[in-house]
Amino acid sequence: MKQLVELKVNGESYETAIDPHRTLLEVLRENIGMTGSKEGCDLGACGACTVVIDGKAVLACLTLALEARGKEITTIEGLAKDGKLHPLQQNFVDHGAIQCGFCTPGVIMSAKALLDENPKPTQVEIKRGISGNLCRCTGYTKIVEAIEVTAK
Amino acid sequence: MEKYSVIGKRLPRLDSVAKVTGDAKYAGDFFLPGMLHGKILRSTVPHAKILNIDTSRAEKLPGVRAVATGKDISDIPHGFIRAAPAPFFLRDKFSLAKEKVRFIGDEIAAVAAVDEDTAMEALDLIKVDYEELPAYFSPQESMALDAVRIHDHAESNVSVVISFHLGNIEQGFAESDFVFEDNYSTQYILASYIEPHAAVADFSQSGNVTLWLSTQTPFYDRTNIAETLGIPESKVRVIKPPVGGGFGAKTETHTLFTASAVLSRKAGRPVKIIYSREEEFTSTAHRHGVTVNHKIGVKKDGTIKAVDSKFFADGGAYNSHSAISMFIMGTLQNGPYNMGSFKYEGIRVYTNKPFAGGVRGHGAIQPRFVIETMMDSISEKLDIDPIEIRKMNAVKAGQTTISKFKIRSCGHTEALDKAVEEIGWKDKWRKLPDGKGVGLASMFFASGAAFSFFYDNPPSFSGVKINAETDGNFTLFTGTSDIGQGSETTLAQIAAEELGVGLNKISVIASDTATTPLDMGSYSSRVTVFGGGAAKIAAYNMKMKLFDIAADMLEANKDDLEAKNERIYVKGTPEKSVSIADTVIGYYNKMKEHLTSSGDYNPPADVGGEMRLDLGEVNISPTFSFGTHATEVDVDKETGEVKVQKIAAAHDCGFAINPMAVEGQIEGSIQMTFGQALLEDYRMEKGWSITNSFIDYKMATSEDMPYIKPIIVESIDSEGPFGAKEASEGTNVATIPSIANAIYDAVGIRMKDLPITPEKILRALEKKEGGK
């Protein structure tokens, strides 16, 4: 039995009818049409689906869409403002922190939650902050560098 | 003044904004009107005859639109090698099983339904009757004389044997003062890209099918799909959108690619299939696990005289790259050292496990672990510095090896010197306290395979076309596949440099079999030299067409012209110039036709030739990369834990078209080999995978990774575009032995079995202490 749910994503409200077992990731991608958040494992082990809910980095594949009602959800699509990239996004571009790009949205959202809570993290804190986001392309070096530069 | 204005620069990737904003659309991000969801039914037994498949209940389930089995596909099997002569033509895989299943996870049927849940439910309703057969989970079991054959076409469970003998090893060993012999083994690992395989197929009423695939080889997929569906290749269009990593495993035409098309044809609606992470672990191509017996004969001055190498590879249930894999494991031992004489036997064996194929560093990772570890033992025994022994035996630029590799450029010595300097070798080797150590290892790698494994008569190895626009922009069409390494940007930089325009003036349209020239795909580290080579030729040809027109406009001699800053100048007369945009308009006015150019790259005449994988005397690549990793480790003698502190990774990429991208390749590729050295292990129990997720299968996180110092060495190659060579697979080949050698320096134990776990360290330490 489908249920009507209202989600607030990147400052805008979306109303959609879903089966209660649908995850936030599925609803973002399939119902709302935001495919920036990626599904890499559907098990909470890779971090590609990371979004920010009420300031915290959350795995959208382990979150039921119904649980996210009434909360502020920020996805990768919500970071750039007025055609200008968020400093994290700009530094990922400039420092070559992107290769295949599939982990990138999740990594950036984890980094955003980290910097919002701790604007001057140490390198160790940065590495811990994104340790739930697997990347097979970069060895994390340039990702950590891009986050460090953003925090400076 | 700087020599170049676009290449040699740390420029962001062309697709970087799309990738940081979530705009980039990967195959799984496509949603077409009326699209169905497909799922694959997989075998639950490791080896069996299929007696019957009853799909009737699944077909009746509301919401199911199509069910497909082996009956719905042609009798043409697929595999990576399609154009080779016997006995290397070894295609043995059907997208959906015909008669037999050969591993747990083998594909039997496919279902398309209105949603994923319905498709999953339908799978449960398909009844498969099996007649189970004995199953084999190691090459030893599988090769037993009384073993049941896994494939009827093969006389035994040996999938392929590649052997060759270069020079005279009997004489080589006779002339040796010492002979070293040892056994090694390596494990199955996974490519482990973060994007699972995805396919969207749209089979139209007119009989054409368009597919969006997460692939490294869209043109090979096109052929395999056409052959599987029994339709002409011209009816199949494969588009490769951004791909979330491939690392070799996406060179396979895995079943979802063909099954989505078969289901779409049956259902008359688009079909999407995305593999679950579990399917990635159980049913896609892995890196070969091998056991090795290796013998090296040396003079007492350290000169290598003879190598006798036997490789036993666990191939799993199907051939995939088989003959190539086994060939490379042998031939890529012939560098960076001259081996004097060389004998190799590579035996690949069928087992009832997921099949092994090509994974980053394909065929080079395993032998390099063996050779570089043995080089360390040899240098110790002969009391020769490990740096010196690696220099004295090294191949040199201008030389041809016994395997007939022509070495056009060689940064081996420079890479070695820079890596050891960076790690502080002089002050650390044999000087650090117990439990701390440094190790080094060198390597080389091919810059692209100079054989057409797949096509009998390809137009070229890589083609590029360029269109000129009247606003001074250019559109570059390439069939190469950017799977994250940044090749589209590399090609665009090469073309921009040649045309004298900025990178922002080049748009790239890539990897669409209907619109881009044929290219063989992203594998064997071929794209920079082959695709980049084609881009340079196409851009040069475009420039010449522009010069013809500009010469008239400027009343100058064509030979006196140069292109830079988006203008064409008369050399030495800067006031005489015309913009490229105006020249393009001039071309249109004069010629009354579109201004396009094309370029094709083919390896030079002294490369490639007949694909005789049994001879071992064949120049496999236009040119070769070199490199050295120097590594520092701490070994905890109480817990057996190895902590890698730093890897100094020097790589001779010829010329770095984009140094930031080259560094990224070095840093990223080491994540995989660091993992293979210490963490990653695909484990099975009676044919069942027990590492089915990133929770069980340990891949290095940001917290696990050591500090990596990438060092770019430029030897300026005579063949590669602007002197460039590969920088994507060779970059990680030396990691594992450099770690193993550092462990030896730290605690005096030789690790010969991967992965190097704390348990193995403790066991080796016990054995060493016990022996005292």
Side-chain angles (χ1 to χ4, degrees):
Chain A
M1 182 62 186
K2 281 193 168 37
Q3 238 175 290
L4 206 60
V5 56
E6 190 183 337
L7 295 174
K8 198 171 174 201
V9 186
N10 302 327
E12 285 192 41
S13 284
Y14 296 85
E15 209 174 63
T16 181
I18 57 164
D19 288 319
H21 68 273
R22 303 305 277 176
T23 66
L24 177 60
L25 180 64
E26 288 166 333
V27 172
L28 283 171
R29 291 177 53 82
E30 294 164 22
N31 297 57
I32 296 179
M34 291 186 185
T35 55
S37 307
K38 302 300 182 199
E39 181 177 317
C41 73
D42 208 23
L43 207 65
C46 77
C49 66
T50 306
V51 298
V52 173
I53 300 180
D54 289 345
K56 297 271 180 221
V58 169
L59 295 167
C61 79
L62 294 186
T63 307
L64 292 176
L66 292 178
E67 295 176 84
R69 279 179 300 190
K71 297 178 178 173
E72 293 281 344
I73 305 161
T74 309
T75 71
I76 191 71
E77 288 91 345
L79 283 200
K81 292 270 186 286
D82 306 322
K84 199 170 176 306
L85 295 181
H86 183 279
L88 269 170
Q89 292 173 312
Q90 190 62 53
N91 285 321
F92 269 60
V93 170
D94 294 343
H95 291 265
I98 313 143
Q99 287 188 34
C100 85
F102 203 79
C103 76
T104 306
V107 178
I108 291 180
M109 296 317 288
S110 288
K112 184 184 185 302
L114 171 73
L115 295 188
D116 286 350
E117 197 180 305
N118 176 6
K120 300 280 171 210
T122 62
Q123 195 186 76
V124 170
E125 287 168 336
I126 290 171
K127 286 181 178 173
R128 190 172 307 141
I130 58 162
S131 63
N133 296 85
L134 292 176
C135 172
R136 193 58 149 176
C137 295
T138 66
Y140 310 99
T141 310
K142 296 200 183 322
I143 290 176
V144 172
E145 190 182 307
I147 299 170
E148 276 185 308
V149 170
T150 310
K152 261 178 195 160
Chain B
M1 206 180 97
E2 281 189 69
K3 196 172 170 194
Y4 298 122
S5 53
V6 188
I7 58 170
K9 309 274 180 218
R10 304 175 69 86
L11 298 175
R13 313 165 53 93
L14 295 174
D15 59 5
S16 53
V17 171
K19 284 179 173 176
V20 293
T21 52
D23 273 356
K25 297 277 180 289
Y26 299 73
D29 297 334
F30 285 79
F31 292 85
L32 302 185
M35 189 176 80
L36 303 171
H37 294 266
K39 287 282 168 193
I40 309 285
L41 180 73
R42 298 179 179 280
S43 175
T44 52
V45 296
H47 194 193
K49 277 186 192 152
I50 297 174
L51 301 177
N52 187 46
I53 305 172
D54 180 1
T55 59
S56 57
R57 287 178 65 211
E59 281 163 32
K60 283 181 204 135
L61 183 72
V64 171
R65 294 285 187 268
V67 181
T69 67
K71 286 180 187 157
D72 296 291
I73 60 171
S74 78
D75 288 326
I76 303 173
H78 50 83
F80 193 77
I81 308 175
R82 182 168 166 275
F88 311 119
F89 182 90
L90 295 161
R91 309 184 94 202
D92 59 5
K93 176 90 173 84
F94 291 106
S95 295
L96 297 168
K98 296 193 182 239
E99 297 171 9
K100 270 185 95 170
V101 287
R102 298 180 173 88
F103 71 98
I104 292 171
D106 212 351
E107 297 86 358
I108 297 171
V111 172
V114 290
D115 56 40
E116 251 184 292
D117 293 347
T118 308
M120 293 293 278
E121 198 182 332
L123 294 186
D124 290 340
L125 298 176
I126 298 173
K127 190 167 177 296
V128 184
D129 296 327
Y130 299 108
E131 179 190 322
E132 286 205 51
L133 298 166
Y136 310 107
F137 307 115
S138 72
Q140 289 73 18
E141 289 167 40
S142 190
M143 283 182 71
L145 287 176
D146 59 347
V148 172
R149 280 187 288 167
I150 295 172
H151 287 272
D152 291 337
H153 69 83
E155 283 173 22
S156 70
N157 284 331
V158 172
S159 127
V160 66
V161 178
I162 299 284
S163 57
F164 45 84
H165 186 176
L166 311 173
N168 182 342
I169 64 157
E170 286 76 21
Q171 193 188 331
F173 280 118
E175 288 169 11
S176 299
D177 296 315
F178 296 94
V179 175
F180 292 79
E181 183 171 1
D182 226 328
N183 298 313
Y184 287 79
S185 62
T186 72
Q187 80 278 40
Y188 254 41
I189 70 152
L190 260 88
S192 299
Y193 31 76
I194 308 301
E195 179 206 21
H197 275 85
V200 175
D202 188 10
F203 205 107
S204 74
Q205 302 282 335
S206 57
N208 294 296
V209 60
T210 303
L211 300 104
W212 291 263
L213 305 179
S214 60
T215 178
Q216 299 176 228
T217 46
F219 287 88
Y220 291 3
D221 295 327
R222 173 178 68 172
T223 304
N224 287 334
I225 291 162
E227 288 181 348
T228 303
L229 268 66
I231 60 175
E233 221 171 77
S234 57
K235 298 278 184 191
V236 181
R237 178 182 186 185
V238 175
I239 298 168
K240 180 214 70 74
V243 168
F247 313 110
K250 287 180 183 169
T251 60
E252 305 286 341
T253 301
H254 282 114
T255 290
L256 77 166
F257 293 176
T258 46
S260 58
V262 171
L263 290 169
S264 179
R265 176 164 69 178
K266 278 197 132 179
R269 285 167 64 168
V271 173
K272 176 192 277 187
I273 302 180
I274 300 179
Y275 277 179
S276 67
R277 185 54 62 179
E278 183 173 346
E279 287 177 293
E280 290 290 343
F281 276 95
T282 59
S283 313
T284 62
H286 296 38
R287 189 193 306 286
H288 288 87
V290 298
T291 53
V292 183
N293 173 261
H294 209 76
K295 240 162 98 173
I296 304 182
V298 290
K299 301 286 281 181
K300 56 176 180 262
D301 69 356
T303 310
I304 302 170
K305 297 298 291 181
V307 173
D308 189 358
S309 177
K310 291 189 190 72
F311 272 63
F312 242 140
D314 186 346
Y318 294 100
N319 263 324
S320 175
H321 295 60
S322 67
I324 301 170
S325 308
M326 299 321 296
F327 173 69
I328 307 173
M329 284 184 213
T331 199
L332 277 186
Q333 296 190 33
N334 286 287
Y337 316 117
N338 285 303
M339 292 309 202
S341 55
F342 181 78
K343 191 174 169 207
Y344 170 75
E345 187 173 49
I347 300 173
R348 184 183 189 273
V349 183
Y350 285 127
T351 56
N352 295 108
K353 290 159 74 172
F355 61 94
V359 176
R360 193 175 199 167
H362 183 196
I365 298 286
Q366 301 96 330
R368 193 53 42 197
F369 169 50
V370 174
I371 291 169
E372 293 298 321
T373 312
M374 288 186 74
M375 287 296 277
D376 230 42
S377 302
I378 293 167
S379 72
E380 185 186 32
K381 171 89 179 172
L382 302 184
D383 197 21
I384 301 172
D385 185 280
I387 299 168
E388 272 320 300
I389 198 165
R390 285 177 169 85
K391 283 185 180 172
M392 61 181 287
N393 284 293
V395 300
K396 305 247 170 344
Q399 186 205 326
T400 301
T401 67
I402 51 169
S403 54
K404 296 282 184 280
F405 300 163
K406 191 174 163 104
I407 308 301
R408 292 174 210 275
S409 60
C410 179
H412 167 74
T413 302
E414 188 183 342
L416 179 50
D417 286 340
K418 286 188 167 162
V420 296
E421 192 192 333
E422 174 65 34
I423 209 75
W425 186 268
K426 253 193 292 180
D427 302 324
K428 289 180 178 168
W429 182 60
R430 289 184 175 171
K431 289 176 186 155
L432 292 173
D434 190 31
K436 290 179 183 295
V438 290
L440 70 92
S442 297
M443 69 88 215
F444 83 126
F445 203 79
S447 300
F451 298 107
S452 177
F453 301 116
F454 199 82
Y455 298 113
D456 287 317
N457 296 297
S460 73
F461 278 74
S462 188
V464 164
K465 287 184 180 168
I466 297 177
N467 286 356
E469 317 294 345
T470 50
D471 57 2
N473 284 279
F474 296 93
T475 308
L476 185 153
F477 296 82
T478 170
T480 57
S481 295
D482 196 328
I483 54 171
Q485 79 276 44
S487 59
E488 285 181 23
T489 308
T490 304
L491 264 62
Q493 282 183 265
I494 288 170
E497 184 69 45
E498 189 67 38
L499 286 162
V501 300
L503 185 61
N504 61 344
K505 294 285 175 185
I506 310 279
S507 310
V508 178
I509 305 287
S511 348
D512 172 351
T513 62
T515 61
T516 62
L518 185 141
D519 178 87
M520 306 206 182
S522 276
Y523 60 85
S524 75
S525 291
R526 61 186 293 285
V527 180
T528 297
V529 169
F530 287 66
K536 188 165 188 288
I537 296 165
Y540 175 82
N541 291 341
M542 172 60 74
K543 189 166 76 176
M544 288 304 110
K545 288 186 174 190
L546 290 168
F547 280 7
D548 280 334
I549 300 300
D552 277 355
M553 293 170 89
L554 297 169
E555 296 176 337
N557 192 326
K558 184 182 170 187
D559 298 337
D560 294 336
L561 301 180
E562 63 180 337
K564 60 181 185 185
N565 306 325
E566 290 158 28
R567 299 186 72 80
I568 296 167
Y569 291 88
V570 180
K571 278 183 224 164
T573 319
E575 63 278 10
K576 277 186 86 175
S577 74
V578 58
S579 75
I580 285 179
D582 286 344
T583 312
V584 173
I585 293 166
Y587 183 94
Y588 288 176
N589 288 339
K590 184 174 177 195
M591 307 297 288
K592 300 294 176 201
E593 64 176 26
H594 285 87
L595 175 49
T596 66
S597 72
S598 67
D600 289 279
Y601 181 81
N602 288 297
D606 56 1
V607 183
E610 196 191 352
M611 195 168 79
R612 286 291 302 275
L613 302 178
D614 50 342
L615 292 182
E617 284 184 310
V618 58
N619 191 8
I620 58 169
S621 182
T623 186
F624 297 87
S625 67
F626 294 86
T628 292
H629 290 188
T631 296
E632 182 170 349
V633 301
D634 287 357
V635 181
D636 186 327
K637 291 175 83 171
E638 291 295 316
T639 63
E641 194 193 354
V642 175
K643 171 100 185 138
V644 177
Q645 297 293 354
K646 177 174 176 177
I647 300 176
H651 187 77
D652 163 26
C653 64
F655 171 75
I657 303 287
N658 187 330
M660 188 160 79
V662 174
E663 287 173 8
Q665 290 299 300
I666 295 172
E667 292 155 353
S669 65
I670 291 173
Q671 192 267 4
M672 179 183 279
T673 35
F674 167 79
Q676 177 158 17
L678 301 173
L679 301 170
E680 297 181 30
D681 196 4
Y682 181 77
R683 295 172 68 179
M684 303 192 76
E685 203 61 60
K686 298 279 172 218
W688 289 95
S689 162
I690 54 173
T691 41
N692 280 345
S693 73
F694 286 135
I695 296 168
D696 307 315
Y697 185 84
K698 300 297 179 196
M699 203 162 102
T701 69
S702 48
E703 289 192 289
D704 301 320
M705 283 301 288
Y707 168 50
I708 296 164
K709 173 68 185 173
I711 301 164
I712 295 173
V713 171
E714 295 184 320
S715 58
I716 312 299
D717 190 70
S718 58
E719 178 60 24
F722 295 106
K725 304 192 284 191
E726 78 85 28
S728 63
E729 291 192 82
T731 51
N732 72 2
V733 173
T735 316
I736 298 171
S738 78
I739 292 173
N741 290 341
I743 291 170
Y744 185 79
D745 188 46
V747 290
I749 50 175
R750 284 267 170 237
M751 303 311 293
K752 300 169 193 169
D753 173 35
L754 298 180
I756 303 169
T757 58
E759 293 89 329
K760 289 178 193 170
I761 293 270
L762 290 179
R763 230 179 294 143
L765 283 171
E766 259 170 47
K767 208 172 147 192
K768 181 180 168 242
E769 305 297 331
K772 267 184 186 168

